[in-house]
Amino acid sequence: MGSEKGLRKTFKEWDEGPVAKTLAKFPERKEQFETLSGIPVDRLYGPSEKALMEYEQELCFPGMFPFTRGVQPTMYRGRFWTMRQYSGFATAKETNERFKFLLNQGQTGLSIAFDLPTQIGYDSDNPLAQGEVGKVGVAINSLADMELLFDGIPLDKVSTSMTINAPAAILLAMYIAVGEKQGVPMNKLRGTIQNDILKEYVARGTFIHGPKESMRLITDTFKFCSENMPLWNTISISGYHIREAGSTAVQEVAFTLANGIAYVDAAIKVGLDVDSFASRLSFFFGSHSDFFEEIAKFRAARRLWAKIMHDRFGAKDDSSCRMRFHTQTAGCTLTAQQPDNNVVRVTLQALQGVLGGTQSLHTNSRDEALSLPTEQSVQIALRTQQIIAYETGVGDTIDPLAGSYFIEHLTDEVEKRAMEYIIKIDDLGGAPAAIEKGFIQREINDSAYEFQQAIDNSTRVVVGLNKFTVEEEQQFDYLRVDPAVEAEQIGRLQEMREERDQAAVEKTLEALRSAAESDSNLMPLILDAVKAYATLGEMCGVLREVFGEYRAPDIL
Amino acid sequence: MPAIKLVKGVLKGNRRDLARLITLIENEHSSAATALSMLYKHTGNAHIVGVTGPPGSGKSTLVTRITAEYRKRSKTIGIVCVDPSSPFTGGALLGDRIRMQEHSLDKDVYVRSMSTRGHLGGLARATSDAVRAIDASGKDIVIVETVGAGQSEVQVVEVAHTVIVADVPGAGDDIQAIKAGIMEIADIFVVNKADYPGADRKVIEINAMLDLDSRERSWRPPVLLTNALTGEGIPELVDTIGAHMSYLQETGLLKQKGLQRSRDELEQIMEYKLTNELFTRLRGTPEYEQAIKKIAGRNDDPYSVAERLIADFLISVRE
Amino acid sequence: MSSSKKIRVLVAKPGLDGHDRGAKIVARALRDAGMEVIYTGLRQTPEMIVEAAISEDVNVIGLSILSGAHNALFPKIMELLKAEGGDNILVIGGGIIPHDDVPALKAVGIAEVFGPGTPLADIVGYIESNVKL
């Protein structure tokens, strides 16, 4: 507990422990940081002489439990957050070109958007895929597409995030297979699969099977990665889509962490030790328009998760309690009216993420309320992050808003209110039961409707939309996915099917089927099928037959 | 008379004409009654199954599963799903179709969503006639899903031959959820979602309540366990629905119920027509308004005024 | 007997995207405007949408799509609807639909397209003044 003396002692421990260790491994960006007028900027500002009683317990130092002030001892003084723009469209070949463009522009991580058929486990030639191929992301039907996607991009040099959920295990297997072909073993691969099915049922909608079977696929990947892929983030527990569906900041934290609890429960239930997998759990939040509340939200989420892991699950390892998260600026706040204003919105929201201590960041493009972003818009979005990082100095000291009466109060409130929701969800039997009963969906829908009504009756101002409006001609360059892409992709798929060893495909698919019917881990069998060039649709088809398909209990 | 033009199509099983007729029934269009009277002799063939239960008891999912089982047995199905209307705006959100997607392209399954339009009792005023129209269109089974039912939403018993009361473990605080009213109208109990903990206990509780029921009856409602996700227990449920129909036929109860239903319906229609006729004549006339004022001023009393007005009405009808 | 008509609306999500925030908000707003709204859920094929519209005898179909597949799916829906005799139904669209695509969609019979930021009252008003009961 924090007496002045105790706090000094903890500070010393922090300074000589985690900080020294981190510096030895990752030196800071500069020897000395200073403001434009030459005032030195220290690593951290805290309660100094006036030690607060609760400081040590509720805030403590960066990289120390409960991680309110950040997950690393030096944060952005060592290295900026990962600038990771979500992208992908059309075919693997075109997306590969966009990836190379982004890496050339100084982006530091890749983030793949898949098209909807891929996300729902259909090949491009499935009748349900008509009109959807390559639209919201890249179409990946088989290992052949994945090889093309990463052609000329060494997998030991990049970290790759894949927004894939229901068939996450399959895409991960394809990534592993590409790595092997490049000579990069899987224990060297860095990246993330979203793999968060629970939020699909409440917010995003790309589920295939029911919760029970989906949870099995997830715990299978946890287990496989804990044994083979120490650098891989096995899940990105996502509040972003919950927020985009219309929740409040408090609900975003509460429902995301409740889902997180469900995954940890499931993994423990299948026999995994909490400290064997918890450090590879990662999170994903939105950054919406309420400046201080959003910053407080990130800090509160970190603290609450740390406490949950420690108190509820008895995690012994500090790294199991450390919430690392990706942030994306809120797509739902972008307006189709006066779209250039969106650049300003995105700037503020990106800043919130940085002040909240995010590990990586996606900044939205100004034209996303109109269509898929153009290359120019994507570049402005990336430049926004670079300006925040390299010009403003906000990363030169850690958690600079800590100690603000308002920020600390908001942090406490968000944590408290989120915890109240989590208790309610526990009473309903946990997140899966609360989803089944429609509780979470109803809460989100109510908030979404209220928000829209507030905009409609102008109690909430959206500049350019319900105030300061202008008559404008819609003139914007759209990124268009050529309709010919669909036919081209289908052609390539059919060619690939003809060239591959059909017997090997059938054999691996049969093996996958019998494994699905038993309890054994599906990852190795998926990997075999992937290497035999079985398609995503074929593998998901087998799993659909064994596991069935889920119909959403849509709650209005 | 738009409804009458639809009769031929309905009898042929044309779903668009059926859908339009049901709209006219719901809107109380003047031609709907004529169309229904033309259809009447073609009704009485379908087995009408009511599905009711407290909110959240998984009625729609159960209906979907029952439908799938009937389709395996080559039966054609009509479904009417009733949802409550908003008491403030009269609007309604009808979301039951969402769970019935797997049947959405099956021409032998007709699904109609219906708002109660302010009607109480668990059904819409038009439900009974809509069921009749579906029956006339040749469906073997018509399933009526009520709004989430409490104690008073029991009107389904007047429409259905067989009433299924669905419940889930832990749906209410305890057995209270299906106490009283809807408990008494059940021909079959279904405890849905058999993988949830507490399902077996629920079955025991319902059976215990049935033991307490002292009424004489030769059909003791069976209590079945189903899992709407896996479909477990559904074939047995459909068998039991069939068994209930055989029971109704063998004991003569079906005939007896039919007589009772015809009597009730005739009386309801007459009552509705009579009062409608009576009030159409009275309302707005100066004499009527004067009489009401007198009652309010205590210069007359409602009992004598009612006698007098009805007597006058009967005389005028006779003339 | 007097006739009391209600506007019946089918709110449907064609295509594979799961972004149903807009569809659900619009469904609620139409309910609050006194309409009867049938919501069909996600991943509806053109065939399913048309079948539901005919069986439910709706006056209006509201299509919400954010996946970019509107140019493939909307015309298909209109074609099937015509074949099933549903030409009297008012069909409107919403979601992320680039302006340049709107004329072609209107040409196949989509009455209006409502983009992001449309006030709910505009949609309600449009339906009330254009629906054929």
Side-chain angles (χ1 to χ4, degrees):
Chain A
M1 286 298 292
S3 69
E4 197 173 327
K5 222 175 191 174
L7 188 62
R8 286 228 174 100
K9 195 168 147 261
T10 314
F11 178 81
K12 211 168 154 230
E13 276 168 22
W14 173 71
D15 200 41
E16 291 168 4
V19 173
K21 228 162 73 192
T22 303
L23 290 178
K25 243 163 105 188
F26 307 105
E28 292 182 341
R29 282 181 282 118
K30 301 179 198 168
E31 283 286 309
Q32 194 175 346
F33 290 83
E34 54 184 38
T35 67
L36 284 177
S37 32
I39 303 167
V41 177
D42 282 351
R43 180 168 300 119
L44 189 75
Y45 292 85
S48 62
E49 296 309 308
K50 265 191 356 188
L52 298 167
M53 279 297 283
E54 290 176 347
Y55 179 86
E56 197 176 346
Q57 202 184 337
E58 295 295 317
L59 299 175
C60 209
F61 297 107
M64 289 176 91
F65 190 91
F67 304 103
T68 313
R69 302 201 63 182
V71 292
Q72 295 129 356
T74 60
M75 289 298 289
Y76 310 135
R77 284 169 68 99
R79 184 176 68 78
F80 288 122
W81 58 93
T82 304
M83 299 178 193
R84 196 191 291 282
Q85 299 294 93
Y86 183 54
S87 64
F89 64 100
T91 60
K93 189 164 168 288
E94 283 167 273
T95 304
N96 176 266
E97 283 159 17
R98 174 78 68 110
F99 281 172
K100 285 176 177 163
F101 164 80
L102 286 166
L103 290 170
N104 270 330
Q105 295 291 313
Q107 175 161 317
T108 47
L110 295 176
S111 176
I112 312 174
F114 295 96
D115 73 356
L116 286 160
T118 304
Q119 294 187 48
I120 306 175
Y122 296 122
D123 287 336
S124 300
D125 58 353
N126 187 296
L128 287 171
Q130 199 201 343
E132 307 272 14
V133 175
K135 280 280 158 53
V136 302
V138 60
I140 298 291
N141 296 149
S142 74
L143 178 57
D145 292 329
M146 203 69 157
E147 286 163 359
L148 210 54
L149 185 63
F150 288 101
D151 182 48
I153 301 172
L155 298 195
D156 53 349
K157 296 282 180 328
V158 291
S159 83
T160 303
S161 169
M162 294 188 245
T163 301
I164 194 75
N165 293 280
I170 295 173
L171 274 302
L172 175 59
M174 289 182 184
Y175 195 76
I176 294 170
V178 172
E180 264 177 37
K181 295 209 163 181
Q182 290 189 358
V184 182
M186 62 176 119
N187 63 10
K188 290 272 179 337
L189 296 175
R190 285 180 302 123
T192 309
I193 39 175
Q194 198 161 70
N195 208 18
D196 170 14
I197 202 69
L198 289 173
K199 63 95 175 51
E200 296 295 329
Y201 299 119
V202 300
R204 199 167 165 276
T206 67
F207 43 78
I208 301 176
H209 317 295
K212 208 166 132 192
E213 294 76 19
S214 303
M215 289 300 256
R216 173 190 168 180
L217 281 166
I218 291 168
T219 49
D220 278 359
T221 52
F222 282 9
K223 190 152 197 293
F224 181 85
C225 292
S226 75
E227 289 160 5
N228 302 294
M229 304 182 76
L231 304 177
W232 195 264
N233 297 314
T234 50
I235 192 167
S236 169
I237 306 164
S238 304
Y240 180 78
H241 315 93
I242 291 171
R243 191 64 184 280
E244 286 287 298
S247 82
T248 64
V250 168
Q251 289 168 338
E252 180 188 2
V253 172
F255 300 157
T256 308
L257 270 55
N259 287 347
I261 290 169
Y263 294 124
V264 175
D265 270 333
I268 291 174
K269 220 170 160 186
V270 299
L272 293 177
D273 175 55
V274 66
D275 288 310
S276 77
F277 66 88
S279 68
R280 297 322 299 171
L281 305 176
S282 66
F283 289 81
F284 173 20
F285 293 109
S287 189
H288 207 270
S289 53
D290 191 332
F291 193 79
F292 292 111
E293 185 179 63
E294 290 301 294
I295 296 166
K297 175 187 82 179
F298 298 123
R299 303 173 82 244
R302 231 173 359 239
R303 180 159 78 206
L304 187 50
W305 184 247
K307 290 179 183 172
I308 287 167
M309 290 309 291
H310 183 267
D311 303 346
R312 182 175 182 141
F313 293 112
K316 289 181 196 72
D317 221 334
D318 253 8
S319 64
S320 301
C321 304
R322 219 166 47 159
M323 172 188 268
R324 295 166 304 125
F325 63 88
H326 173 68
T327 301
Q328 179 171 341
T329 59
C332 65
T333 64
L334 303 180
T335 60
Q337 296 73 19
Q338 303 176 43
D340 285 340
N341 294 346
N342 292 327
V343 175
V344 183
R345 293 191 176 95
V346 168
T347 306
L348 289 166
Q349 293 167 7
L351 182 60
Q352 290 157 203
V354 171
L355 293 173
T358 193
Q359 277 54 65
S360 58
L361 182 62
H362 167 104
T363 33
N364 285 57
S365 299
R366 59 187 169 160
D367 46 1
E368 285 179 42
L370 299 163
S371 75
L372 294 170
T374 58
E375 206 156 271
Q376 195 199 0
S377 300
V378 171
Q379 191 181 56
I380 294 174
L382 178 59
R383 293 289 179 259
T384 304
Q385 293 198 41
Q386 289 161 338
I387 290 167
I388 292 173
Y390 293 97
E391 297 183 7
T392 67
V394 293
D396 292 353
T397 185
I398 303 165
D399 191 26
L401 293 186
S404 144
Y405 296 124
F406 184 45
I407 280 287
E408 295 303 350
H409 172 72
L410 279 180
T411 305
D412 292 348
E413 280 297 308
V414 172
E415 181 190 7
K416 191 181 97 199
R417 287 162 193 244
M419 194 58 212
E420 284 166 7
Y421 261 120
I422 290 173
I423 290 168
K424 204 180 284 175
I425 291 166
D426 282 340
D427 288 344
L428 290 171
I435 292 166
E436 179 89 31
K437 292 186 169 97
F439 170 75
I440 292 176
Q441 298 92 312
R442 260 189 297 272
E443 289 289 314
I444 297 171
N445 295 346
D446 287 348
S447 299
Y449 194 44
E450 260 171 50
F451 190 86
Q452 184 61 41
Q453 282 178 319
I455 292 173
D456 278 5
N457 63 31
S458 291
T459 48
R460 169 175 295 278
V461 170
V462 179
V463 172
L465 180 68
N466 60 5
K467 205 170 183 166
F468 314 114
T469 54
V470 293
E471 284 295 317
E472 59 187 327
E473 282 280 304
Q474 285 280 356
Q475 45 176 352
F476 226 81
D477 281 339
Y478 295 113
L479 177 85
R480 288 204 169 273
V481 176
D482 186 346
V485 157
E486 191 160 319
E488 186 193 319
Q489 176 69 19
I490 291 172
R492 275 175 22 80
L493 170 63
Q494 284 164 353
E495 241 168 69
M496 188 282 297
R497 281 213 189 98
E498 275 162 33
E499 284 168 17
R500 68 186 182 179
D501 175 355
Q502 196 58 34
V505 171
E506 273 155 32
K507 204 174 125 227
T508 55
L509 287 177
E510 264 327 295
L512 177 61
R513 180 193 305 277
S514 39
E517 284 161 353
S518 76
D519 283 339
S520 46
N521 194 319
L522 296 180
M523 258 319 278
L525 295 133
I526 291 173
L527 194 52
D528 289 344
V530 160
K531 287 179 184 166
Y533 291 86
T535 68
L536 173 94
E538 289 162 346
M539 287 180 268
C540 288
V542 165
L543 296 178
R544 276 187 160 94
E545 281 166 31
V546 181
F547 292 159
E549 276 194 74
Y550 184 70
R551 297 265 171 237
D554 246 293
I555 309 295
L556 288 160
Chain B
M1 297 303 263
I4 293 144
K5 276 192 250 161
L6 301 171
V7 168
K8 221 167 151 189
V10 170
L11 288 173
K12 276 198 211 142
N14 178 310
R15 71 196 196 301
R16 195 186 70 202
D17 290 347
L18 175 61
R20 287 188 177 161
L21 177 60
I22 293 176
T23 304
L24 294 171
I25 294 170
E26 282 194 289
N27 291 347
E28 298 182 18
H29 190 275
S30 51
S31 66
T34 322
L36 282 165
S37 70
M38 290 165 75
L39 289 174
Y40 191 78
K41 61 172 176 288
H42 301 281
T43 64
N45 304 313
H47 182 178
I48 299 160
V49 179
V51 176
T52 187
S57 52
K59 293 183 288 293
S60 304
T61 318
L62 190 64
V63 169
T64 311
R65 284 287 178 181
I66 294 173
T67 303
E69 181 62 26
Y70 273 124
R71 294 297 299 133
K72 272 190 214 155
R73 303 180 186 194
S74 305
K75 300 282 188 198
T76 58
I77 309 288
I79 301 170
V80 178
C81 308
V82 188
D83 276 315
S85 58
S86 155
F88 303 106
T89 64
L93 280 178
L94 313 174
D96 295 306
R97 268 194 101 86
I98 296 168
R99 302 194 201 216
M100 300 183 184
Q101 280 183 32
E102 59 180 286
H103 305 298
S104 63
L105 293 180
D106 182 345
K107 299 281 184 220
D108 287 320
V109 178
Y110 175 79
V111 182
R112 176 69 176 217
S113 312
M114 196 173 254
S115 148
T116 56
R117 299 199 179 176
H119 189 72
L120 302 175
L123 299 181
R125 185 193 292 286
T127 303
S128 166
D129 285 336
V131 167
R132 189 158 280 157
I134 297 172
D135 180 357
S137 80
K139 294 284 185 271
D140 300 323
I141 310 284
V142 182
I143 303 174
V144 178
E145 183 193 328
T146 74
V147 303
Q151 294 193 5
S152 55
E153 282 76 22
V154 295
Q155 217 174 43
V156 65
V157 76
E158 295 165 22
V159 175
H161 298 113
T162 304
V163 174
I164 299 171
V165 172
D167 205 356
V168 275
D173 292 338
D174 52 275
I175 194 76
Q176 293 292 337
I178 55 162
K179 212 184 152 185
I182 65 168
M183 187 84 199
E184 282 160 29
I185 61 167
D187 298 307
I188 300 168
F189 284 98
V190 169
V191 176
N192 203 354
K193 297 175 186 167
D195 352 323
Y196 274 56
D200 293 328
R201 216 192 70 207
K202 195 95 189 178
V203 173
I204 293 167
E205 284 171 349
I206 295 172
N207 271 314
M209 278 187 54
L210 289 170
D211 291 340
L212 289 175
D213 189 340
S214 55
R215 283 177 300 166
E216 273 295 315
R217 51 178 168 184
S218 47
W219 175 269
R220 187 187 199 272
V223 186
L224 304 180
L225 268 176
T226 60
N227 184 331
L229 284 176
T230 60
E232 203 181 307
I234 299 293
E236 293 78 1
L237 171 58
V238 169
D239 290 343
T240 309
I241 297 170
H244 182 251
M245 185 40 113
S246 309
Y247 159 79
L248 290 178
Q249 285 164 339
E250 282 156 18
T251 54
L253 271 171
L254 188 66
K255 254 190 197 146
Q256 209 177 311
K257 273 192 171 182
L259 277 175
Q260 187 60 42
R261 190 165 299 161
S262 301
R263 179 188 304 276
D264 290 346
E265 195 170 27
L266 178 63
E267 291 180 0
Q268 270 171 25
I269 293 171
M270 290 197 296
E271 188 187 328
Y272 183 76
K273 287 230 165 222
L274 266 181
T275 48
N276 207 42
E277 186 71 23
L278 176 62
F279 289 123
T280 321
R281 290 190 190 200
L282 287 177
R283 281 183 185 142
T285 62
E287 296 79 17
Y288 189 54
E289 298 308 319
Q290 196 56 37
I292 289 168
K293 273 187 198 148
K294 273 190 175 172
I295 296 168
R298 298 298 184 272
N299 294 319
D300 210 335
D301 68 280
Y303 312 100
S304 332
V305 172
E307 290 263 337
R308 215 161 52 230
L309 290 174
I310 289 172
D312 290 349
F313 173 68
L314 290 176
I315 290 166
S316 74
V317 170
R318 240 175 258 142
E319 283 163 358
Chain C
M1 267 189 264
S2 67
S3 183
S4 52
K5 290 176 181 172
K6 283 260 174 208
I7 300 175
R8 284 170 70 83
V9 187
L10 183 78
V11 173
K13 275 202 62 62
L16 301 179
D17 79 275
H19 300 287
D20 54 2
R21 175 178 180 171
K24 285 178 171 177
I25 286 178
V26 168
R28 278 199 189 197
L30 300 182
R31 189 262 323 259
D32 288 352
M35 301 179 199
E36 290 181 357
V37 183
I38 295 133
Y39 182 62
T40 60
L42 304 175
R43 299 188 206 166
Q44 298 288 300
T45 62
E47 289 80 5
M48 289 160 103
I49 291 168
V50 170
E51 166 57 33
I54 297 296
S55 289
E56 298 285 359
D57 192 31
V58 296
N59 315 103
V60 184
I61 301 176
L63 301 170
S64 166
I65 189 164
L66 288 85
S67 74
H70 48 272
N71 288 335
L73 298 175
F74 283 14
K76 184 87 192 287
I77 291 167
M78 296 312 294
E79 185 190 308
L80 290 170
L81 200 58
K82 209 166 273 172
E84 291 284 345
D87 345 31
N88 56 331
I89 299 173
L90 178 71
V91 185
I92 57 179
I96 306 269
I97 296 176
H99 259 252
D100 304 0
D101 290 350
V102 173
L105 297 177
K106 286 193 172 173
V108 298
I110 305 289
E112 193 51 88
V113 174
F114 297 97
T118 307
L120 294 171
D122 289 6
I123 300 173
V124 170
Y126 182 84
I127 290 176
E128 282 171 346
S129 38
N130 291 283
V131 68
K132 284 166 243 142
L133 281 181

